[in-house]
């Protein structure tokens, strides 16, 4: 696990993403970016100045036709390019399922290793924005179940910059979810290039009372951790970053220290990323557990529009606090 | 008339013979239970496969379908390793991991084949994009059937290829059927070539039983593509002499079957070669025998090869 250390610049999440792109574009002339809006609106930022530095050809124009955008990205990657495709919102990827699963994920394997698909597909997680059921999906658990894919998400500027660079350099298809935290955490980046590797979780808070693994729910997890800390209860907040490959070792070593595991995941409960973490700890860290693993997820319903209803579905800081206290046998506010 | 050298003409004839014997040999082997999984014989369609690949170089790419034993053969892939792959052997082109529907040999530009209708068509557009962005003069030829032509992926890919102006040639192998369903009963048009103009690209329809006609038509499309003029859609009208996958009661009308069987592409080319004075029946028989031997050798190679180790299962998932 790593904790941000020597750093000299404070940047925000979109700037971090853009710097990652810029640095990788300087490294490789094979990168080609695709997104069906203008370059002023891609990857959650205004990337038009990348066209100034690298030429307008660095953007390959596509319209909303996700199945063929993804399929073509696979072909481009097989032909030696390194496409980075912004699908904009998680939900738009469903159109491309055949290309993602039957082409991107499978081609290396079924060609016996002849094909390589070094493509990155980015999506923003949309939560709490009152966009309604179509726009508010969290698809990463579905893709974690497909062999040959890598899946990652980051919440802070430091992590997203380094992790996105790793995704771009990876020779496998990567699904990368943008999900900026609204907290001012890990906003400082070093002056020199750095990467955050896959398979390496980040420890946001440290303590021995309980382990909270946070997937796409950093705000709630940190609010809970900081509130508990005021009561003298200090917890580990572990964010996996790459979901596949998963840094099981860091999670297990945290649970070995704390004995209690709460997995907080913005996805729905069945076969969520939380389910996988829980299963892995149950299999490999059973002896460390002093209470049953708990998952806190969105419920098994679609995301409603009315704010009262939507606000009720996302894992809350209170639900995490209650879960921790319950593990510790402390009276809760439930 | 195509300016084709005699050896090229004979080469096309030989490749059609190879495909025919390869398929017939596999059908016999399948009947005796010698290899696992389904196969989809291309008997009757050889002229489309060979004619479309004739204008291509080793560096050009092709992508195929579930019925794609013949495409790699036409492109010059190693017969032994193709057969071994179909038998699931370690020496197969994909290490036994792909099988009949996923034959790929990147060393001769055979970039794979898809078991899912039309799934390969957008991929072809991307391969063609890589060819122009890397400033080669190479092209990509993608094969798909009339059933697959109903998938959204084909429409999207044609649109995208046109927007990007990439060097991809869409070869629609219209054999009138997908499985046992007559496609025209479930398609808005019989004449798939008419869709080309909707996507702002030239379309051509060609007699898919005439390897020279196919070669000439595709050659023109290849030249356009190499010159930066973008994609072309070619509808090759052909016929599947045998079944979709495994022998089953024939539902297609007798007259139709007879009509098409009288248009055997190998017989048509035989007559043409003799007419042109390029060969006589005894030299063509010699070529046929050579094809028979090559396939027999491939069968022997496939039979003798070892299966892959189970320990290799995890290989090639990630790189």
């Amino acid at each position: 696990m790593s904790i941000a250390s020597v750093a000299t610049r404070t940047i925000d999440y979109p700037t971090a993403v853009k710097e990652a792109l810029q640095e990788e574009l300087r490294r490789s002339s094979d990168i080609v970016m695709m997104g069906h809006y203008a370059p002023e609106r891609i990857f959650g930022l205004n990337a038009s100045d990348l066209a100034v530095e690298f030429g307008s050809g660095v953007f390959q124009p596509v319209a909303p036709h996700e199945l063929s955008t993804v399929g073509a990205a696979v072909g481009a990657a097989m032909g030696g390019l390194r496409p980075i495709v912004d699908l904009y919102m998680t939900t738009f990827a469903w159109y491309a399922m055949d290309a993602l699963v039957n082409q991107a994920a499978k081609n290396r394997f079924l060609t016996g290793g002849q094909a390589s698909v070094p493509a990155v597909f980015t999506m923003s997680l949309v939560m709490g924005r009152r966009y309604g059921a179509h726009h508010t999906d969290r698809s990463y658990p579905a893709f974690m179940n497909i062999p040959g894919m890598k899946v990652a998400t980051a919440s802070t500027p430091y992590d997203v910059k380094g992790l996105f660079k790793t995704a771009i350099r990876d020779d496998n298809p990567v699904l990368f979810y943008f999900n900026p935290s609204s907290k001012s955490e890990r906003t400082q980046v070093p002056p020199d290039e750095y990467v955050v590797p896959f398979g390496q979780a980040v420890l946001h808070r440290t303590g021995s009372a309980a382990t909270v693994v946070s997937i796409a729910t950093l705000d709630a997890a940190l609010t809970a951790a900081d509130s508990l800390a005021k009561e003298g209860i200090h917890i580990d907040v572990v964010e996996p970053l790459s979901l596949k490959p998963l840094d099981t070792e860091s999670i297990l070593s945290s649970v070995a220290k704390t004995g209690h595991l709460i997995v907080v995941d913005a996805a729905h409960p069945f076969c969520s990323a939380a389910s996988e973490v829980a299963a892995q700890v149950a299999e490999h860290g059973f002896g460390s557990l002093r209470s049953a693993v708990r998952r806190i997820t969105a419920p098994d319903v679609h995301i409603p529009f009315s704010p009262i209803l939507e606000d009720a579905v996302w894992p809350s800081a209170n639900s995490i606090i209650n879960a921790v206290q319950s593990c510790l046998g402390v009276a809760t506010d439930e | 008339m195509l300016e084709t050298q005699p050896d090229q003409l004979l080469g096309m004839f030989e490749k059609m013979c190879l495909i025919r014997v390869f398929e017939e040999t596999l059908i016999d082997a399948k009947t005796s239970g010698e290899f696992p999984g389904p196969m989809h014989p291309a008997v009757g369609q050889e002229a489309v496969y060979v004619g479309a690949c004739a204008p291509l170089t080793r560096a050009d790419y092709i992508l195929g379908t579930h019925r794609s034993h013949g495409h790699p053969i036409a492109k010059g892939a190693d017969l032994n390793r193709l057969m071994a792959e179909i038998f699931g052997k370690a020496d197969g082109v994909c290490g036994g991991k792909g099988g009949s529907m996923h034959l790929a040999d990147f060393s001769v530009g055979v970039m794979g084949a898809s078991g899912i209708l039309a799934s390969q068509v957008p991929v072809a557009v991307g391969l063609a994009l890589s060819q122009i962005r890397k400033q080669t003069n190479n092209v990509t030829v993608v094969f798909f059937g009339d059933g697959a032509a109903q998938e959204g992926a084909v429409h999207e890919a044609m649109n995208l290829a046109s927007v990007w102006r990439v060097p991809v040639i869409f070869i629609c192998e219209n054999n009138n059927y997908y499985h046992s369903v007559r496609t025209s009963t479930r398609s808005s048009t019989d004449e798939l070539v008419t869709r080309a103009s909707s996507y702002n690209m030239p379309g051509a329809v060609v007699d898919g039983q005439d390897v020279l006609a196919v070669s000439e038509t595709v050659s023109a499309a290849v030249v356009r593509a190499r010159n930066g003029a973008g994609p072309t859609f070619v509808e090759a009208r052909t016929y599947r002499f045998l079944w979709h996958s495994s022998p089953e009661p024939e539902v297609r009308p007798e007259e139709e079957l007879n009509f098409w069987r009288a248009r055997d592409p190998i017989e048509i080319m035989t007559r043409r070669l003799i007419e042109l004075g390029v060969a006589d029946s005894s030299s063509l028989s010699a070529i046929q025998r050579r094809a028979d031997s090559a396939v027999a050798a491939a069968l022997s190679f496939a039979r003798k090869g070892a299966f892959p180790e189970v320990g290799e299962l995890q290989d090639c998932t990630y790189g």
Side-chain angles (χ1 to χ4, degrees):
Chain A
M1 288 193 272
S2 74
I3 305 175
S5 50
V6 181
T8 57
R9 284 182 304 123
T10 300
I11 59 171
D12 64 11
Y13 194 98
T15 305
V17 173
K18 187 194 269 195
E19 287 187 7
L21 282 166
Q22 204 167 24
E23 289 172 15
E24 293 308 298
L25 281 161
R26 288 178 188 145
R27 258 180 120 243
S28 170
S29 56
D30 289 332
I31 293 173
V32 55
M33 297 181 287
M34 300 182 204
H36 67 254
Y37 294 116
E40 284 77 9
R41 189 189 160 192
I42 189 172
F43 308 120
L45 56 107
N46 180 343
S48 53
D49 54 346
L50 294 177
V52 174
E53 182 174 352
F54 300 100
S56 60
V58 79
F59 291 104
Q60 189 70 24
V62 292
H65 43 68
E66 289 80 0
L67 174 59
S68 51
T69 300
V70 172
V74 173
M78 285 167 63
L81 298 177
R82 303 191 74 91
I84 308 173
V85 179
D86 193 7
L87 294 170
Y88 290 97
M89 292 187 185
T90 315
T91 191
F92 300 161
W94 300 129
Y95 268 121
M97 282 308 275
D98 180 78
L100 286 167
V101 178
N102 284 320
Q103 296 294 334
K106 292 182 186 176
N107 279 349
R108 180 188 295 278
F109 184 82
L110 54 79
T111 60
Q114 294 176 84
S116 180
V117 185
V120 184
F121 301 101
T122 65
M123 289 159 279
S124 289
L125 288 172
V126 172
M127 293 185 274
R129 287 198 244 166
R130 320 343 188 160
Y131 276 22
H134 276 185
H135 284 83
T136 319
D137 281 336
R138 284 116 297 116
S139 58
Y140 46 84
F143 294 113
M144 287 164 71
N145 192 251
I146 313 289
M149 290 287 202
K150 293 193 180 179
V151 182
T153 184
S155 315
T156 71
Y158 180 93
D159 293 322
V160 77
K161 179 175 175 180
L163 200 68
F164 195 34
K165 284 164 70 72
T166 295
I168 294 166
R169 294 183 193 185
D170 200 298
D171 287 340
N172 300 284
V174 181
L175 292 163
F176 197 96
Y177 295 81
F178 297 130
N179 187 34
S181 166
S182 62
K183 290 181 178 286
S184 194
E185 291 281 326
R186 294 169 71 79
T187 57
Q188 296 187 302
V189 294
D192 301 325
E193 271 201 69
Y194 68 96
V195 292
V196 173
F198 286 164
Q200 183 176 292
V202 61
L203 185 65
H204 286 281
R205 296 290 188 271
T206 174
S208 49
T211 300
V212 165
V213 172
S214 168
I215 297 153
T217 49
L218 192 64
D219 289 8
L222 294 182
T223 301
D226 295 341
S227 173
L228 285 164
K230 290 191 186 122
E231 309 297 312
I233 299 170
H234 298 275
I235 63 172
D236 269 0
V237 176
V238 179
E239 184 181 13
L241 297 179
S242 65
L243 293 168
K244 198 175 189 196
L246 183 69
D247 183 3
T248 312
E249 201 186 301
S250 295
I251 296 169
L252 287 171
S253 84
S254 171
V255 177
K257 177 178 68 169
T258 68
H260 302 286
L261 175 62
I262 295 150
V263 195
V264 188
D265 181 359
H268 302 287
F270 267 74
C271 301
S272 54
S275 303
E276 181 60 24
V277 173
Q280 289 204 23
V281 173
E283 280 171 38
H284 304 296
F286 186 72
S288 303
L289 289 167
R290 287 183 275 140
S291 65
V293 177
R294 292 159 195 252
R295 294 171 296 160
I296 300 175
T297 69
D300 195 17
V301 300
H302 292 298
I303 306 306
F305 163 66
S306 183
I308 294 275
L309 295 179
E310 185 180 2
D311 290 345
V313 307
W314 302 118
S316 66
N318 275 347
S319 65
I320 300 169
I321 291 166
N322 288 342
V324 172
Q325 287 171 332
S326 168
C327 286
L328 302 177
V330 175
T332 70
D333 295 335
E334 277 173 316
Chain B
M1 183 56 214
L2 184 65
E3 298 291 318
T4 316
Q5 299 303 313
D7 57 332
Q8 288 173 292
L9 295 170
L10 293 170
M12 286 194 246
F13 178 80
E14 181 156 12
K15 284 196 167 142
M16 289 199 288
C17 291
L18 278 170
I19 297 170
R20 177 69 57 93
V21 181
F22 193 89
E23 301 289 63
E24 289 176 341
T25 300
L26 279 170
I27 288 165
D28 286 341
K30 173 54 74 184
T31 308
S32 356
E34 272 208 74
F35 67 92
M39 68 164 282
H40 303 82
V43 173
Q45 297 184 192
E46 296 88 349
V48 182
Y49 292 24
V50 173
C53 290
L56 304 180
T57 69
R58 198 180 168 96
D60 293 316
Y61 294 146
I62 65 168
L63 269 178
T65 69
H66 56 282
R67 199 178 299 283
S68 276
H69 298 165
H71 299 117
I73 294 172
K75 193 70 166 55
D78 182 315
L79 226 61
N80 291 346
R81 297 192 63 217
L82 293 177
M83 187 79 82
E85 183 62 32
I86 295 165
F87 274 58
K89 300 300 178 78
D91 281 337
V93 280
C94 301
K97 291 202 162 85
S100 165
M101 288 184 277
H102 300 298
L103 299 177
D105 184 347
F106 280 32
S107 72
V108 291
V110 179
M111 306 305 280
S114 175
I116 303 301
L117 294 187
S119 187
Q120 74 282 13
V121 185
V123 178
V125 177
L127 282 169
L129 179 71
S130 75
Q131 288 169 320
I132 45 165
R133 286 186 71 107
K134 291 197 169 272
Q135 293 170 330
T136 71
N137 284 322
N138 300 330
V139 306
T140 299
V141 169
V142 61
F143 299 92
F144 55 95
D146 44 288
Q150 313 308 326
E151 294 276 359
V154 168
H155 295 262
E156 287 194 23
M158 289 174 70
N159 177 67
L160 189 58
S162 194
V163 169
W164 284 356
R165 211 173 160 87
V166 285
V168 63
I169 296 113
F170 297 98
I171 309 284
C172 179
E173 299 166 330
N174 187 354
N175 62 16
N176 302 304
Y177 289 85
Y178 64 90
H179 203 275
S180 57
V181 177
R182 193 170 174 78
T183 310
S184 62
T185 61
R186 303 190 193 189
S187 173
S188 59
T189 180
D190 250 359
E191 303 192 41
L192 299 171
V193 67
T194 61
R195 292 177 176 170
S197 63
S198 306
Y199 298 111
N200 203 27
M201 71 177 72
V205 76
V206 67
D207 176 3
Q209 305 310 92
D210 181 343
V211 70
L212 289 185
V214 174
S215 174
E216 206 170 307
T217 303
V218 177
S219 187
V222 168
V223 167
R224 284 192 71 248
R226 292 201 207 286
N227 289 339
T232 305
F233 181 92
V234 175
E235 179 187 347
R237 299 207 172 145
T238 185
Y239 202 75
R240 197 187 72 206
F241 284 7
L242 300 177
W243 40 83
H244 165 70
S245 167
S246 42
E248 53 198 354
E250 184 60 77
V251 299
R252 296 175 296 178
E254 189 73 29
E255 323 83 67
E256 183 183 279
L257 289 160
N258 290 337
F259 172 82
W260 284 97
R261 287 196 183 127
R263 310 211 67 247
D264 185 310
I266 294 174
E267 287 171 17
I268 289 173
M269 186 57 162
T270 299
R271 287 195 293 273
R272 181 72 64 83
L273 290 170
I274 292 172
E275 264 167 44
L276 290 170
V278 170
D280 59 22
S281 59
S282 96
S283 52
L284 295 177
S285 297
I287 292 175
Q288 178 66 72
R289 282 194 303 276
R290 206 160 62 212
D292 293 344
S293 294
V295 173
L299 180 65
S300 173
F301 180 87
R303 281 171 170 160
K304 288 187 188 136
F307 283 105
E309 300 284 326
V310 174
E312 289 167 35
L313 194 56
Q314 294 294 333
D315 301 351
C316 309
T317 299
Y318 293 103

